[in-house]
Amino acid sequence: MSQHSVIIRPLEAGDEAAWRELWTGYLTFYETSVPEAVYASTFARLLGDDPQDFHGLLALVDGVPVGLVHYVFHRHCWRIENVCYLQDLYAAPEARGTGVGRALIEAVYAAADAEGAPNVYWMTQDFNTTARQLYDRIGTQTPFIKYQRS
């Protein structure tokens, strides 16, 4: 991939095919899949205007989508302001190491600042060493361990 500038923009209705391809790559990386109904519902929510809906951004290089991020604002018992959860972040293999991931995270930081959300947080799996190299430079690892219902 050439060293062209990365453009970050909101997801649009016409982006569905490119978004599906990128999100499928993300899900495949984490060795999971979702049914068609979840693809349809997630894309609709990403384009929705409900404050509880997720937001989606695409990273483009030379007009080609090469990355995505999904994030949502939500209330937090320890703060008056909402906080921002960055749920999904993905750069296509050919775009890794070119600044796409950093640009997407920084775009979420900017969206959080614009919304008055003082905190942006995310999780990753411990084996995601390549991404964690970026995360260690752009964020702070916390001591929390995730649990979920069995």
Side-chain angles (χ1 to χ4, degrees):
M1 167 166 266
S2 60
Q3 292 297 325
H4 294 274
S5 63
V6 178
I7 303 296
I8 306 296
R9 68 161 173 78
L11 197 61
E12 300 170 354
D15 295 326
E16 187 171 7
W19 169 83
R20 280 175 175 261
E21 183 177 338
L22 290 166
W23 201 43
T24 298
Y26 172 83
L27 295 170
T28 300
F29 176 82
Y30 282 111
E31 300 176 356
T32 193
S33 61
V34 297
E36 173 56 32
V38 174
Y39 274 97
S41 174
T42 298
F43 192 73
R45 288 175 179 171
L46 287 165
L47 297 180
D49 58 6
D50 185 317
Q52 295 182 74
D53 281 340
F54 275 79
H55 303 274
L57 301 173
L58 283 181
L60 296 98
V61 173
D62 295 333
V64 177
V66 295
L68 63 73
V69 67
H70 302 150
Y71 61 98
V72 67
F73 297 104
H74 67 87
R75 292 187 177 177
H76 194 287
C77 291
W78 297 2
R79 298 179 178 273
I80 294 170
E81 311 89 355
N82 281 347
V83 297
C84 181
Y85 175 52
L86 188 162
Q87 182 169 14
D88 304 325
L89 175 71
Y90 180 75
E94 67 274 12
R96 294 182 189 149
T98 67
V100 167
R102 176 181 285 273
L104 286 163
I105 292 171
E106 288 176 347
V108 173
Y109 284 178
D113 290 346
E115 290 290 319
N119 188 353
V120 176
Y121 71 100
W122 64 94
M123 296 180 287
T124 194
Q125 290 184 319
D126 60 355
F127 66 77
N128 194 357
T129 54
T130 302
R132 289 181 65 192
Q133 291 174 14
L134 169 62
Y135 302 161
D136 287 343
R137 290 191 305 270
I138 200 165
T140 302
Q141 183 178 351
T142 72
F144 284 89
I145 298 170
K146 178 186 173 193
Y147 285 86
Q148 66 186 25
R149 185 177 183 177
S150 300

